[in-house]
């Protein structure tokens, strides 16, 4: 398989991107890498070009650039050229740690939507931290679309189901609808309608409404939400975890010698907590609903996250996770176009 | 002042309600308490009836009752009778730890909205945990209304401002709009419109869009949000904090003797973290936009939370926080009704 990778995106590009790619190259002998960016900036960090081909891209889309305009104007940027390589069949997936909006726009406008999908959904894997037999769950949409219609959320549920089955190896994943109460009649008009629509989907193991309070406790395998609330919930969880760790650190620093000694003795326990809360081990966020895997990691990603994300993309390709969605929606189209007897 | 208190609501009613009321009675000599509920259940827990009058209520609205129907059918319930006492001028505020929906419905349907307010907003005080000079912030709406229009959010901002000034003693409080990015054009159609409307309000110290990631870091004094996202964010913060504390506890229990010794040495530091995350010290959630304070605490509230919440209600009454909102909106009405010269 071939991956099209933006070498210029993220706070530590290109050095950490190149390092992560080399880690993955050494681990996965079946992957070839197309590394898009400014050759003279990439070369100094590249130890060996075995299975890594640098694809010159003169321009860089910056973090502050307006996404759609950047995609249209910076035709020689690493993001645009990497996405075009996927569109042209020269690569199987597109991966960047750069400008999120530009990555999403490149996926949508260059690679294109799967037939039958109205809005792709940005999908993130989150940790389950208090349940022994569940490691993680996926949530979508976490910010690709702010204005969402009921049909979009039903499509998110179907795409999330295939993703959880393929990439997380969960059989018959439990689908929950994020809502502000577990009762069927909770939420605004859109969410009440989505609840009813999801109940009618025989292929889905719909477990009903779920509350954000229970997400880290593993209340579902796939959490379906509109991009506005999903983004707010994702950032609340991240922010609360970070703020609590910071507060704990400050409290320990202020608690004298015995506190510091205590912290030393608890080093393992603290390590476990940090490791569980570290999403980067689960890879990046995937824009589901595009004809090929389009994956975005945090701008702050370093080599290990880049490496983990490449592993995630490899699993997506190996399991045909995108193809499963394409097949499902093409069968739906056939059903709709064939008149009932 | 006189408070109408539902003695029958919450998991530990009436015992912990009565105990909390007695703590408050002993602390605040200027408060008289009307305690609504079943006399024979309340009396066993009441040490002294000094400034506490039991008001017999034959019925109880249960946690599972459908709110609006319960308010209409259980006319002799403690919630309905307590709210009526406020409506009739026999008490200055209404407080319950019972069925949230029923408390909100009683506020709205029995006590009634302030003229000029279309939708009251449920307002909660949250901790700021990583900033030395800010202890807390308020967020509204956290769940009174799932379907929200731009004008509602502007009214939340104004009510939040008066609340923060009166009860939290913050001068010219910073108002932030919860959104999925800080740029002015972020969010769905409703949030973009609200951003523009808030920018035009000269009386508000509007600091722009804020992200849920930054709330506990004190990015604003008043966070304005629609009830759907606000509820999801509130529950995400609560859930993440609880899950992390649970995970930390499990990790410590599994880390052998040195881990347990370490935990002992860190007891003070852990205590500080727990105390900071404990919202109950800030009292209950207030339904702002009603003609009198209507306050709801968690169903799991014990005597100390009941006591803290009564302190919060006393501050609301002492500072005229509801009256300030009534005055503001009546002046707005006069402005609108007076033709410009």
């Amino acid at each position: 398989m071939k991956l099209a990778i933006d070498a210029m995106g993220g706070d530590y590009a290109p050095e950490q991107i190149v390092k992560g790619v080399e880690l993955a190259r050494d681990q996965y002998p079946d992957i070839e890498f197309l590394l898009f960016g400014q050759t003279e900036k990439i070369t100094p960090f590249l130890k060996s070009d075995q299975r890594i081909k640098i694809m010159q891209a003169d321009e860089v889309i910056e973090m502050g650039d307006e996404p759609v305009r950047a995609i249209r104007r910076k035709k020689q940027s690493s993001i645009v050229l990497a996405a075009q390589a996927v569109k042209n069949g020269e690569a199987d997936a597109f991966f960047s740690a750069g400008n999120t909006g530009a990555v999403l726009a490149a996926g949508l406008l260059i690679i294109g939507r799967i037939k039958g999908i109205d809005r792709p959904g940005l999908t993130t894997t989150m940790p389950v931290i208090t349940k022994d037999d569940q490691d993680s769950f996926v949530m979508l949409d976490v910010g690709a679309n702010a204005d969402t219609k009921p049909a979009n959320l039903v499509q998110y549920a179907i795409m999330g189901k295939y993703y959880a089955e393929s990439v997380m190896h969960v059989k018959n994943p439990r689908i929950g609808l994020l809502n502000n109460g577990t009762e069927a009649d909770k939420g605004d008009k859109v969410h009440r309608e989505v609840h009813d629509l999801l109940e009618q989907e025989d292929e889905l193991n719909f477990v009903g409404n779920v509350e954000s309070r229970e997400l880290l406790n593993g209340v579902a395998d796939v959490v379906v939400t509109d991009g506005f609330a999903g983004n707010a919930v994702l950032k609340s969880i991240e922010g609360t975890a970070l703020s609590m760790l910071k507060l704990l650190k400050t409290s320990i620093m202020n608690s004298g010698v015995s506190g510091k000694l205590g912290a030393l003795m608890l080093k393992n326990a603290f390590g476990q907590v940090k490791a569980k809360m570290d999403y980067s081990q689960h890879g990046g966020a995937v824009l589901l609903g595009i004809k090929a895997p389009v994956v975005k990691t945090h701008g702050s990603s370093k080599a290990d996250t880049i490496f983990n994300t490449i592993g995630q993309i490899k699993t997506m390709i190996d399991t045909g996770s995108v193809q499963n969605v394409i097949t499902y929606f093409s069968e739906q189209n056939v059903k709709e176009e064939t008149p009932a007897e």
Side-chain angles (χ1 to χ4, degrees), chain A residues 13 76 94 104 113 128 149 156 169 187 197 265 287 308 319:
Chain A
Q76 294 302 313
F94 163 43
L104 302 189
R113 279 177 292 134
V128 168
K149 289 180 185 144
Y156 297 160
H169 314 295
L197 290 171
M265 288 169 152
L287 187 63
N308 290 336
T319 58

Side-chain angles (χ1 to χ4, degrees), chain A residues 3-6 34-38 54-61 70-71 74-91 93-94 106 110-111:
Chain A
L3 307 188
I5 295 179
D6 168 20
L34 304 179
L35 214 48
F36 289 82
Q38 292 162 327
I54 299 178
M55 309 292 282
Q56 172 64 24
D58 296 340
E59 293 175 293
V60 175
I61 293 179
I71 292 298
K74 293 189 171 175
K75 296 282 185 203
Q76 294 302 313
S77 63
S78 51
I79 287 179
V80 168
L81 293 176
Q84 275 172 351
V86 176
K87 181 192 165 67
N88 299 338
E90 296 150 22
F94 163 43
I110 299 174
I111 304 176

Side-chain angles (χ1 to χ4, degrees), chain A residues 53 72 98 112 114 141 174 179 189 266 280 282-283 295 307:
Chain A
K53 192 171 168 187
R72 296 215 163 115
I114 291 171
D141 171 35
R174 294 163 299 150
N179 208 329
K189 201 164 158 275
L266 278 177
S280 70
H282 298 296
V295 181
F307 169 74

Side-chain angles (χ1 to χ4, degrees), chain A residues 179-195:
Chain A
N179 208 329
N180 50 22
T182 54
E183 301 87 344
D185 62 345
K186 282 285 177 176
D188 59 4
K189 201 164 158 275
V190 168
H191 286 80
R192 290 195 300 272
E193 192 176 333
V194 173
H195 183 280

Side-chain angles (χ1 to χ4, degrees), chain A residues 21 53 94-95 191 209 256 276 325:
Chain A
V21 165
K53 192 171 168 187
F94 163 43
F95 169 31
H191 286 80
N209 291 330
K276 277 256 188 186
V325 175

Side-chain angles (χ1 to χ4, degrees), chain A residues 166-241:
Chain A
S166 309
V167 180
M168 299 161 67
H169 314 295
V170 181
K171 277 184 194 159
N172 204 18
R174 294 163 299 150
I175 315 282
L177 175 65
L178 187 75
N179 208 329
N180 50 22
T182 54
E183 301 87 344
D185 62 345
K186 282 285 177 176
D188 59 4
K189 201 164 158 275
V190 168
H191 286 80
R192 290 195 300 272
E193 192 176 333
V194 173
H195 183 280
D196 293 347
L197 290 171
L198 290 175
E199 271 200 329
Q200 291 161 25
E201 291 281 334
D202 293 338
E203 294 189 49
L204 295 179
N205 179 13
F206 180 53
V207 295
N209 291 330
V210 298
E211 292 195 275
S212 56
R213 200 199 309 266
E214 298 297 333
L215 298 184
L216 301 187
N217 297 333
V219 72
D221 299 301
V222 176
V223 174
V224 172
T225 171
D226 67 281
F228 191 84
N231 190 273
V233 164
L234 173 67
K235 288 174 180 166
S236 300
I237 293 174
E238 286 178 352
T240 306

